[in-house]
């Protein structure tokens, strides 16, 4: 089989995605996916797993109000910006059911997936790569985004094959996210997640299904290019396959985030870096793909409401500290992020003073 003549039409408009491309069994990847050499992950730059100083901490959340647990979370959020949480209160069968539903969705016939594209984009969005019309090089990924909105809209528009599993997961995750944000805010001298803070931190939550098919030339492509998230925090459920890497402290070094059964990967997003005046670190990360296996991951992007104004918290500046960031409307920040390809940490420059 040969590459479709109009690749974007095949991927996006016909809803085949990169999964449809992979199923053509092409011996090589289309040139639109080939990353320049300097953008590829060099295996020499990967930090060994036995490097204790730069390994991803695994934190038991059972006693989440214990000062020692809270100190561990604060330390991870300020140093690496990434950590894993176990005993978070979400039953393992809920996690397993969600993973199974992701595979079921992407294995639907193309016509059924195509019907999802007729749903309101503020509730459901199916696409491929990142911003395929704005990128010079495409990413080897398909994705579904489910906005956690009213139950009426969820029941009307979320795909039936994964609706119940996704909703059950989000109900559990919502409770966990509130607890975690309370811990992170407490360390910034904010004692309550009131309605105003809730609006500015978690006013719009989006559950993502990421699908990375096996690739004939995985070393040439990127699943996701280096970027930091624009969320307050991101809560990620991985499957059992490696692929996620975060930037290390030394230059162009990278650390693998190993899959841990039942764990959730947490990363600080740009919003909390801005609100904390840089105390919390929103770290670049990327995804590589596999030559033999499909990988899935399920992020919850815990975002401010679109009309929320984000800026450094007054509680952080009480001691006379100067703010490093200006106040911005989140929808403007969000639209700027999606107007271009992934480009490392450049988005946050939009908010810098």
């Amino acid at each position: 089989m040969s590459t479709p003549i109009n690749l974007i039409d095949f991927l996006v408009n016909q809803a085949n995605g990169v999964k449809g491309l992979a199923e053509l069994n092409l011996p090589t990847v289309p040139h639109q996916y080939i990353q320049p050499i300097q953008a590829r992950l060099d295996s020499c730059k990967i930090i060994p797993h036995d490097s204790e100083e730069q390994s991803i901490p695994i934190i038991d959340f059972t006693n989440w109000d214990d000062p020692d647990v809270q100190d561990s979370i604060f330390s991870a959020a300020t140093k690496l910006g990434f950590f894993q949480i176990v005993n978070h209160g979400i039953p393992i069968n809920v996690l397993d059911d969600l993973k199974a539903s992701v595979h079921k969705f992407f294995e639907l016939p193309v016509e059924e997936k195509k019907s999802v594209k007729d749903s309101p984009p503020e509730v459901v969005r199916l696409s491929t790569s990142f911003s395929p019309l704005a990128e010079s090089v495409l990413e080897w990924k398909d994705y579904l985004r489910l906005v956690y909105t009213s139950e009426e809209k969820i029941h009307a528009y979320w795909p039936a094959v994964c609706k119940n599993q996704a909703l059950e997961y989000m109900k559990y995750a919502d409770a966990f996210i509130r607890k975690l944000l309370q811990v992170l805010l407490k360390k910034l001298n904010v004692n309550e997640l009131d309605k105003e803070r809730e609006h500015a931190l978690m006013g719009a939550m989006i559950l993502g299904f990421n699908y990375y098919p096996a690739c004939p030339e995985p070393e040439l492509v990127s699943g996701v290019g280096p970027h930091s998230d624009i969320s307050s925090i991101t809560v990620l459920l991985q499957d059992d396959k490696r692929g996620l890497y975060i930037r290390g402290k030394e230059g162009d070094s990278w650390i693998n985030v190993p899959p841990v059964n039942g764990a959730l990967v947490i990363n600080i997003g740009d919003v909390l870096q801005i609100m904390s005046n840089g105390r919390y670190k929103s770290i670049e990360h990327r995804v590589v793909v596999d030559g033999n296996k499909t990988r899935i991951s399920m992020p919850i992007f815990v975002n401010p409401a679109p009309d929320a104004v984000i800026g450094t918290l007054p509680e952080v500046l009480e001691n006379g500290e100067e703010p490093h960031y200006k106040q911005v409307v989140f929808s403007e920040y969000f639209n700027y992020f999606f107007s271009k390809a992934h480009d490392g940490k450049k988005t946050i420059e939009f908010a810098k003073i």
Side-chain angles (χ1 to χ4, degrees):
M1 296 289 287
S2 60
T3 303
I5 293 171
N6 188 334
L7 186 61
I8 294 296
D9 181 64
F10 174 85
L11 295 169
V12 179
N13 301 330
Q14 296 178 38
N16 288 290
V18 75
K19 180 178 187 290
L21 192 65
E23 288 172 347
L24 296 177
N25 295 318
L26 302 174
T28 58
V29 298
H31 67 88
Q32 293 94 329
Y33 284 95
I34 297 176
Q35 294 286 335
I37 291 173
Q38 68 274 15
R40 300 172 197 169
L41 179 58
D42 182 345
S43 59
C44 297
K45 303 285 179 66
I46 297 172
I47 294 173
H49 294 297
D50 55 5
S51 170
E52 283 188 27
E53 186 185 341
Q54 296 198 64
S55 61
I56 311 300
I58 299 172
I59 300 170
D60 187 333
F61 203 67
T62 306
N63 300 314
W64 66 277
D65 51 359
D66 182 315
D68 289 341
V69 174
Q70 297 189 353
D71 286 346
S72 297
I73 291 169
F74 178 69
S75 175
T78 53
K79 290 176 182 172
L80 275 179
F82 267 79
F83 49 99
Q84 302 208 54
I85 293 279
V86 294
N87 296 321
H88 38 64
I90 307 176
I92 197 78
N93 66 293
V94 173
L95 305 181
D96 289 343
D97 288 350
L98 183 71
K99 292 176 193 174
S101 77
V102 174
H103 284 288
K104 283 179 183 173
F105 173 78
F106 283 104
E107 286 159 10
L108 287 172
V110 170
E111 286 308 311
E112 283 190 53
K113 282 190 285 190
K114 196 173 182 181
S115 68
V116 172
K117 294 179 73 66
D118 298 329
S119 301
E122 67 273 13
V123 183
V124 178
R125 183 161 181 255
L126 175 65
S127 194
T128 191
S129 189
F130 174 62
S131 289
L133 302 180
E135 295 165 294
S136 56
V137 183
L138 297 172
E139 296 179 346
W140 195 266
K141 176 190 75 176
D142 294 331
Y143 65 86
L144 179 71
R145 296 286 180 264
L146 303 172
V147 178
Y148 192 46
T149 180
S150 67
E151 291 224 6
E152 181 185 1
K153 287 183 177 178
I154 287 171
H155 286 296
Y157 296 114
W158 282 16
V161 73
C162 57
K163 180 192 307 174
N164 293 338
Q165 297 86 343
L167 187 54
E168 181 80 352
Y169 175 66
M170 287 301 291
K171 286 176 177 175
Y172 278 104
D174 185 281
F176 161 69
I177 287 163
R178 288 171 191 275
K179 292 174 185 174
L180 181 57
L181 285 175
Q182 285 175 47
V183 173
L184 291 164
L185 285 174
K186 184 179 177 182
K187 291 293 186 179
L188 300 176
N189 301 316
V190 178
N191 294 318
E192 187 185 359
L193 183 64
D194 58 19
K195 289 293 179 189
E196 184 183 347
R197 303 280 191 215
E198 194 177 300
H199 188 74
L201 282 162
M202 55 180 296
M205 294 202 292
I206 302 168
L207 172 61
F209 292 176
N210 294 334
Y211 189 91
Y212 306 94
C215 176
E217 296 179 294
E219 68 285 353
L220 301 183
V221 310
S222 179
V224 181
H227 70 287
S228 63
D229 290 348
I230 58 169
S231 55
S232 301
I233 57 173
T234 301
V235 176
L236 179 79
L237 176 63
Q238 299 198 85
D239 67 6
D240 59 355
K241 299 166 191 70
R242 292 179 182 269
L244 175 61
Y245 291 81
I246 73 168
R247 188 178 287 282
K249 293 176 182 176
E250 288 88 38
D252 194 23
S253 62
W254 295 88
I255 306 165
N256 178 245
V257 183
V260 174
N261 189 41
L264 296 172
V265 179
I266 312 298
N267 65 278
I268 302 296
D270 288 359
V271 168
L272 261 185
Q273 179 169 324
I274 291 166
M275 287 185 171
S276 68
N277 213 29
R279 282 177 177 74
Y280 293 149
K281 304 294 189 291
S282 175
I283 300 297
E284 277 181 81
H285 47 287
R286 69 195 302 171
V287 174
V288 300
V289 298
D290 192 273
N292 302 304
K293 297 174 183 175
T294 293
R295 177 179 178 269
I296 59 168
S297 68
M298 293 120 285
I300 300 172
F301 300 104
V302 182
N303 291 341
D307 64 349
V309 177
I310 56 171
T312 302
L313 295 169
E315 291 87 348
V316 173
L317 304 175
E318 280 175 353
N319 295 328
E321 188 176 319
E322 289 293 320
H324 303 315
Y325 305 95
K326 61 189 177 185
Q327 294 198 324
V328 296
V329 178
F330 182 69
S331 60
E332 294 176 5
Y333 196 78
F334 183 94
N335 291 336
Y336 177 65
F337 180 66
F338 281 99
S339 70
K340 54 191 175 48
H342 281 136
D343 56 1
K345 283 284 292 178
K346 290 182 182 175
T347 303
I348 207 164
E349 300 294 326
F350 184 82
K352 279 194 174 170
I353 291 175

